[in-house]
């Protein structure tokens, strides 16, 4: 081993309790006999190791990771699963062509990604999986040298609105030779569909399985998301462990020829402590990803070109790309408190976190068609926080603080609003108020976008910096809510946690919000903080009551009263913070929570939301765990603790985790968390320690009275975040003394945390520009100058966008096209005047959709059509535009399309049972299926009780299932024979019988449970069976996913139903009538709308007397001007030259019959 040549610069670079040299480099000191003995234990890998067949130079690499692999193999029997099958061989040319045909997308029969149109229609929100959003990138697969998938382990609505996910997707696709697709955790119905089709999870853009990509990256945003990471890997068909995905040492790593992709994670939780998932991932990207992701791609380009094997590829990443942690090159020996040390020479002993400057221009990306969690444009204005709150992990992991230049923020917001069509944007930071240029930037943006319906929201802000300037940028149309975080209820406790907030500042912020119109303010508090007493807990209720009485007062009107919404969470210690050693028992959490609930019950106008104590305990257990928790995470996933069950079925998830902890033999470790292992501020009040009133000089961090537990190695010590461990201990001592630490970004006082320097950079504080003059809030322009009516198509993938999402799509398209759309004048939420004639069922296509847009300025209709067409997706083509009158001559606005709606005509492809394959799922939101545990082989039987124990009667169940399957097959064969026997004459007979019905009544139940009987027959205006010549003529030149020749048992019908604003006859209702007359269950396979009929507008009744008066007055004035010009000049509206009031013509009352005087009652006369 080469001697150390670099100096030991700072104390933070020294790892406490450094292990012996023989442990770090155990490979070189092992004897050959021990190597062979240990290597003979077969690990849980994709292939068993065969050391005898390896070359001598390969033996060293095989043994270097042997200890970790043996630990993966020697686990309790309950956790072991059968070894996965060998990798699939390289795909042949024929298989590639078949795959390309499957993935081609929308073909003639409406199949997308191998799923039929009927199956897509059965999925809830199928637009999640289409990959056709605004800003989605579709790059050529074959020309890409490195292919990534950014797989977010949550459902689409959460992942698609995550800023980091969108930024990395954009950056990678901007690189030449790199391709990046996206994937999300599917819903339960899509899970069922995937299983029924024997398909694996696919990327939304290319629809390719995730195992076809070179690298699969996932974001780990919170501790319990680890089970979702395993779920994503399993749905992708990947072995769960890095050992299971390993190749032979002499094999080139090539995904196209059978290798598994590299699986990696990033995000705040992965950076903080990656050990609980270390067995599952090939590497971890630490810190900011903007720069490191590009370097990963460049490194993989080189390793693929050089033909390196999998292990050497990972070694290149670990040694050439800073910020990469490869768990296979490290081990966690027993007796070292879970600490991790390298086992291969050359890899860094401590892996550094990467730091990148935010670029808001890269954050203008995807615009989903469905409504997401954060359905707005998000622009980052500041990364990092130096406030120094001692409980806050993000504030420690993101240092130093870096401001974005104000002009760049304004440019990004203005550009983003124009390119995305959003009407709301958010300025993002850990503490937006610490961005000192916020008032200037916010007012400048508001002034520039003053004529547009735009709303600004700030996710987090300091209450001590909330003033009139910030109130101005938050106010206006669609005023956003306000959220502040006092964290603690007393000044003493706020000083201990270094919150830096006084009661006066708290009162001033809430009072300013109330004075500026906010009547509901949200406040965040935590219980269980170090040093907390019952007085601090009750102080939360006292603070809330004080704010209520001081700010809101006893207002007479209820709407003027202040309402406070509290979110009360349980403090969870996080790694790399001064409180990382602390813990509180769950019993103490429950006791303090009850104490606070009782106190809050006496405070009026307060709502409270509470965090689950058990979830907090589980987050603590995993977040501060070591590598031994990998067994717990995996077993809990096998027992079903994944996805939304944390909130939908928390008890079931807790049982899964409890059992997994017990099977892993870690119950004692979990009890330490549950029982509260150590209160780090237990010395509060001890006079021997500084600041405790006894004159003592002791310190907890160093000296004679130091607590040795603070020097014990931790599972995350090998992650170099830039903050020295000695500084965390020193800051804990300051917490004991109640000393606050200033914000080094703005105070100029360095706290010596160790971050600032060449490695991690320095704090960057932007220069504050002058505060612009506020030009006022947005005023909606409600002028109705021009009304344009469009006809457009909706087919292809766009047919799976729901009606409400379609309306949102059209609104954003109009904003991107910069059309002057008229707005409603609602005082609460102004909406654009954009409307459609009628909703189209999900999955149905159309060539006759109608839309009306009201403009405030007159424009050339064809110019509007051209500009709008550029902003619409491929399946929505504008075919016609018509300039419609806005008003009648008497000034009354013309009827809307919804008021004129009469009927609609469809082409419907229908089938009898057995004529078409049934969809794999029959209804929206199917139950989640059972899935194989890793790699196939044994099927994971959850058991009838759902406890993971296979039932004893499994063989009997299998026999019964086989008998049932045989009976079902016999019935299916008979049904198929019946379908073949159905002729066009049968269809015509059924159609004629349906038209001959006098009535067809069904029962409808409203949302309130009211039942009413409806006769559908009057709503059936037309129904006919189409012969082959009619089908040929109807489908010619149309993009309709219907067969040119109907298969046996199917038919294409022309259906016309009555539709009004109150409803009408749907395609499903028509099929019910056919099923009634035929005694056969007739199913619609696809419907295509070809026509919408609108009635003629009803003009107002002409007031002839009013017109006579107008003509008569004009005639008199014309004569006056002719014979006596001097008398009538500039005197229009008068008869003759008199100036008396009686000479003025009243065009509405002249020459009308005098109205009889109002009769008054005797009582009024008496009065």
């Amino acid at each position: 081993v080469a001697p150390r040549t670099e100096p030991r610069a700072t104390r933070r670079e020294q790892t406490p309790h450094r292990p012996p040299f023989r442990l770090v480099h155990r490979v070189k000191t092992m004897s050959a006999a021990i190597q062979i003995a240990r290597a003979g234990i077969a690990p849980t890998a994709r292939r068993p190791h065969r050391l005898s067949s390896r070359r001598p130079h390969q033996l060293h690499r095989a043994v270097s990771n042997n200890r970790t692999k043996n630990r993966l193999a020697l686990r309790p029997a309950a956790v072991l699963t059968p070894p996965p099958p060998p990798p699939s061989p390289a795909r042949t040319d024929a298989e590639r062509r078949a795959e390309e045909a499957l993935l081609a997308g929308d073909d003639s029969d409406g199949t997308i990604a191998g799923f039929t149109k009927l199956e897509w229609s059965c999925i809830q929100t199928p637009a999640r999986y289409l990959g056709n959003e605004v800003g989605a990138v579709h790059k050529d697969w074959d020309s890409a040298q490195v292919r990534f998938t950014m797989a977010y382990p949550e459902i689409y609505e959460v992942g698609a609105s995550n800023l980091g996910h969108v930024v990395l997707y954009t950056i990678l696709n901007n690189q030449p030779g790199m391709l990046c697709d996206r994937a999300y955790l599917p819903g339960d119905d899509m899970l069922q569909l995937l299983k029924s089709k024997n398909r694996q999870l696919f990327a939304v853009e290319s629809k390719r399985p995730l195992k076809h990509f070179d690298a699969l990256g996932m974001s780990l945003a919170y501790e319990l998301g680890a089970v979702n990471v395993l779920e994503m890997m399993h749905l992708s068909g990947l072995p769960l462990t890095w050992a299971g995905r390993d190749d032979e040492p002499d094999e080139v790593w090539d995904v196209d020829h059978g290798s598994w992709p590299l699986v990696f994670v990033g995000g705040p939780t992965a950076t903080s402590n990656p050990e609980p998932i270390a067995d599952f991932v090939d590497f971890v990207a630490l810190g900011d990803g903007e720069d490191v992701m590009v370097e990963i791609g460049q490194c993989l380009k080189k390793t693929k070109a050089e033909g390196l094997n999998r292990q050497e590829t990972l070694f290149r990443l670990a040694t050439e790309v800073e910020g990469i942690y490869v768990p296979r090159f490290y081990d966690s020996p027993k007796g070292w408190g879970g600490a991790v040390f390298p086992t291969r020479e050359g890899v860094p002993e401590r892996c550094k976190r990467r730091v990148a400057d935010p670029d808001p221009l890269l954050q203008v990306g995807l615009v989903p068609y469905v409504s997401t969690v954060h359905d707005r444009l998000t622009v980052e204005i500041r990364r990092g926080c130096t406030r120094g709150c001692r409980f806050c992990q993000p504030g420690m992991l993101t240092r130093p603080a870096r401001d974005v230049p104000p002009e760049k923020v304004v440019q990004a917001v203005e550009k983003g609003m124009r390119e995305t069509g959003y009407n709301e944007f958010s300025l993002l930071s850990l503490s937006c108020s610490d961005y000192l240029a916020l008032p200037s930037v916010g007012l400048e943006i508001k002034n520039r976008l003053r004529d547009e319906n735009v709303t600004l929201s700030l996710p987090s802000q300091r209450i001590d910096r909330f003033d009139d300037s910030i109130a101005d940028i938050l106010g206006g149309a669609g005023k956003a809510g306000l959220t502040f975080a006092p964290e603690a209820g007393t000044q003493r406790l706020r000083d201990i946690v270094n919150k830096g907030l006084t009661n006066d500042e708290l009162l001033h912020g809430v009072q300013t919000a109330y004075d500026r119109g906010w009547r509901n303010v949200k406040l965040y508090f935590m219980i269980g903080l170090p040093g907390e007493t019952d007085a601090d807990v009750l102080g939360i209720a006292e603070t809330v009551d004080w704010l209520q009485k001081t700010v809101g007062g006893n207002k007479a009107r209820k709407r003027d009263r202040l309402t406070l919404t509290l979110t009360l969470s349980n403090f969870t210690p996080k790694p790399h913070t001064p409180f990382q050693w602390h813990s509180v028992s769950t019993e103490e959490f429950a006791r303090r929570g009850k104490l606070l609930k009782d106190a809050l019950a006496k405070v009026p106008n307060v709502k409270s939301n509470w965090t689950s104590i058990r979830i907090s305990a589980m987050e603590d257990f995993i977040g501060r765990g070591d590598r031994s928790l990998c067994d717990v995470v995996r077993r809990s996933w096998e027992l079903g603790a994944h996805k939304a069950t944390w909130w939908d079925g928390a008890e079931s998830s807790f049982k899964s985790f409890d059992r997994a902890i017990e099977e892993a033999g870690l119950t004692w470790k979990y009890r330490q968390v549950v029982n509260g292992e150590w209160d780090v501020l237990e010395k509060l009040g001890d006079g021997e320690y500084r600041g405790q009133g006894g004159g003592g000089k002791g310190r907890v961090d160093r000296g004679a009275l130091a607590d040795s537990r603070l020097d014990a190695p931790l599972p995350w010590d090998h992650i170099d975040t830039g903050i020295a461990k000695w500084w965390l201990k020193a800051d804990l001592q300051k917490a004991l003394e109640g000393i606050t630490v200033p914000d080094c970004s703005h105070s100029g006082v360095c706290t010596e945390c160790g971050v600032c320097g060449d490695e991690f950079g320095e704090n960057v504080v932007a220069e504050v520009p002058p505060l612009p003059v506020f030009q006022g809030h947005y005023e909606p322009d409600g002028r109705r100058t021009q009304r344009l009516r469009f006809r457009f198509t909706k087919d292809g993938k766009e047919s799976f966008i729901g009606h409400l999402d379609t309306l949102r799509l059209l609104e954003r398209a109009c904003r991107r096209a910069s059309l002057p759309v008229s707005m409603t004048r609602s005082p609460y939420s102004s909406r654009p005047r954009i409307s459609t004639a009628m909703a189209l069922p999900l999955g149905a296509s159309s060539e006759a959709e109608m839309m009306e847009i009201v403009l405030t300025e007159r424009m050339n209709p064809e110019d509007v059509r051209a500009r709008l067409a550029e902003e619409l997706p491929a399946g929505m083509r504008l075919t016609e535009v018509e300039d419609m009158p806005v008003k009648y001559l008497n000034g009354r606005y013309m009827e809307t399309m919804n008021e004129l709606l009469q009927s609609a005509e469809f082409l419907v492809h229908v089938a009898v049972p057995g004529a078409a394959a049934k969809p794999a799922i029959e209804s929206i939101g199917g139950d989640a299926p059972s899935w194989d545990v890793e790699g196939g082989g044994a099927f994971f039987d959850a058991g009838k009780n759902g406890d993971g124990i296979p039932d004893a009667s499994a063989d009997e169940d299998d026999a019964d299932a086989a008998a049932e399957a045989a009976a079902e097959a016999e019935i299916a064969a008979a049904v198929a024979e019946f379908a073949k026997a159905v002729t066009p004459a049968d269809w015509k007979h059924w159609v004629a019988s349906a038209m001959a019905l006098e009535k067809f009544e069904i029962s409808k139940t409203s949302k309130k449970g009211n039942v009413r009987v409806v006769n559908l027959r009057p709503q059936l205006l037309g129904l006919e069976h189409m012969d082959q010549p009619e089908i040929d003529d109807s489908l010619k030149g149309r993009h309709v996913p219907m067969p040119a020749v109907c298969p046996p048992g199917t038919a294409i019908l022309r259906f016309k139903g009555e539709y009004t604003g109150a409803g009408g006859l749907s395609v499903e209702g028509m099929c019910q009538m056919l099923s009634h007359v035929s005694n056969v269950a007739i199913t619609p396979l696809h419907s295509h709308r070809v026509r919408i009929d609108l009635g003629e507008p009803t003009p107002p009744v002409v007031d002839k007397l009013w017109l006579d008066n107008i003509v008569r007055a004009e005639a008199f004035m014309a004569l006056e001007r002719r014979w006596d010009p001097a008398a009538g000049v500039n005197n229009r509206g008068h008869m003759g030259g008199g100036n008396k009031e009686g000479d003025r013509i009243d065009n509405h009352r002249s020459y009308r019959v005098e109205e009889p005087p109002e009769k008054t009652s005797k009582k009024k006369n008496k009065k």
Side-chain angles (χ1 to χ4, degrees), residues 870-1098:
E870 293 179 357
E871 306 300 336
L872 292 176
M876 299 175 67
R877 301 175 297 278
L878 299 177
T879 57
E880 297 178 14
V881 60
E882 184 179 1
D883 197 342
M884 305 295 295
V886 178
K887 297 180 179 180
Y888 291 106
L889 292 177
N890 70 341
R892 196 190 82 186
Y893 288 106
M894 300 193 70
E895 295 91 342
T896 63
M897 291 187 297
N898 190 265
E899 294 172 333
L900 299 176
L901 188 61
Q902 289 186 337
S903 63
E905 187 175 323
F906 292 85
L907 298 180
V908 186
H909 187 205
V910 294
V912 298
K918 294 178 62 177
I921 54 176
E922 297 183 358
S923 61
I924 291 177
D927 294 333
S930 299
W931 286 87
D932 293 358
V933 176
E934 176 185 345
F939 190 85
F940 180 70
D941 187 354
K944 291 182 178 180
N945 299 323
D947 55 2
I949 303 176
D951 301 317
S953 58
D955 295 337
E956 298 178 4
D957 291 344
D958 291 343
D960 294 341
E964 291 178 2
E968 290 178 359
E970 184 178 353
I971 295 174
V975 171
E977 288 297 324
F978 167 77
K980 293 180 181 179
V982 175
T983 63
D986 295 326
W987 284 108
K988 291 181 179 180
H989 173 68
W990 295 337
V991 166
S993 300
M995 292 297 296
L997 288 174
E998 294 184 359
K999 65 177 181 179
F1000 182 74
E1001 295 180 341
I1002 63 170
S1003 297
K1004 285 189 175 183
T1005 304
S1006 65
K1007 294 181 179 179
K1008 296 183 178 180
N1010 299 326
V1011 180
R1012 61 189 181 96
V1013 177
V1014 179
N1015 182 13
L1016 297 183
R1017 178 58 190 89
Q1019 300 177 7
L1020 180 61
L1021 304 181
L1023 184 64
E1024 60 177 290
H1025 175 266
M1026 299 177 64
D1027 293 326
Q1028 192 59 47
E1030 295 177 292
I1031 295 175
D1032 296 339
D1033 184 61
S1034 298
L1035 300 185
K1036 185 178 181 181
R1038 285 174 168 164
H1039 185 72
V1040 182
M1042 293 183 182
V1045 178
C1046 292
T1050 69
I1052 295 180
L1053 309 178
R1054 186 181 297 274
F1055 156 62
K1056 185 175 182 180
E1058 179 187 36
Y1059 284 89
T1060 64
L1065 180 61
S1066 64
V1067 172
E1068 287 73 16
M1070 178 270 295
C1071 289
Q1072 288 185 31
M1073 299 175 70
L1074 281 179
S1075 302
H1076 173 72
V1077 298
S1078 64
N1079 291 323
V1080 176
I1082 294 179
T1083 305
L1085 302 180
H1086 181 72
S1087 59
H1088 178 79
R1089 188 147 63 196
V1090 296
R1091 183 182 177 88
I1092 295 178
D1093 295 319
L1094 302 180
E1096 292 295 329
T1098 305

Side-chain angles (χ1 to χ4, degrees), residues 56 197 708 1005 1159:
K197 294 284 189 177
S708 60
T1005 304
K1159 295 182 179 180

Side-chain angles (χ1 to χ4, degrees), residues 1110-1122:
I1110 294 292
V1111 173
R1112 193 184 306 274
E1114 291 291 340
F1116 272 111
M1117 287 186 288
L1119 291 173
E1120 190 177 66
R1121 289 192 297 271
R1122 173 69 177 84

Side-chain angles (χ1 to χ4, degrees), residues 84 107 140 221 338 371 448 462 482 557 755 778 785 800 847 871 954 958 969 984 1019 1024 1031 1040 1053 1154:
D107 54 20
D140 181 63
S371 179
R448 292 193 185 189
R462 297 276 304 189
L482 284 180
R557 293 191 304 178
V755 169
Y778 163 77
T785 306
F800 297 108
E847 62 186 63
E871 306 300 336
D958 291 343
Q1019 300 177 7
E1024 60 177 290
I1031 295 175
V1040 182
L1053 309 178
E1154 289 291 335

Side-chain angles (χ1 to χ4, degrees), residues 475-545:
K479 182 183 294 186
L482 284 180
T483 301
F484 302 116
E487 306 295 357
T490 62
Q491 189 64 54
R492 183 193 73 89
L493 191 56
R494 285 197 289 267
D495 290 342
I496 287 178
V497 302
N498 200 46
K499 183 61 183 177
L501 178 68
T502 65
N503 288 332
D504 291 340
E505 292 169 336
L506 177 62
L507 175 61
H508 178 267
V510 177
Q511 184 69 60
T512 302
Y514 182 85
D515 294 341
R516 296 303 300 267
W518 278 272
R519 294 295 179 265
N520 187 5
V521 176
K522 297 180 181 179
L523 299 177
Y524 280 178
F525 291 96
M526 282 193 291
I527 59 175
L529 288 165
E532 184 182 65
T533 64
D534 287 353
D536 298 310
V537 175
L538 295 175
I540 297 176
E542 294 172 358
T543 299
V544 171
D545 187 41

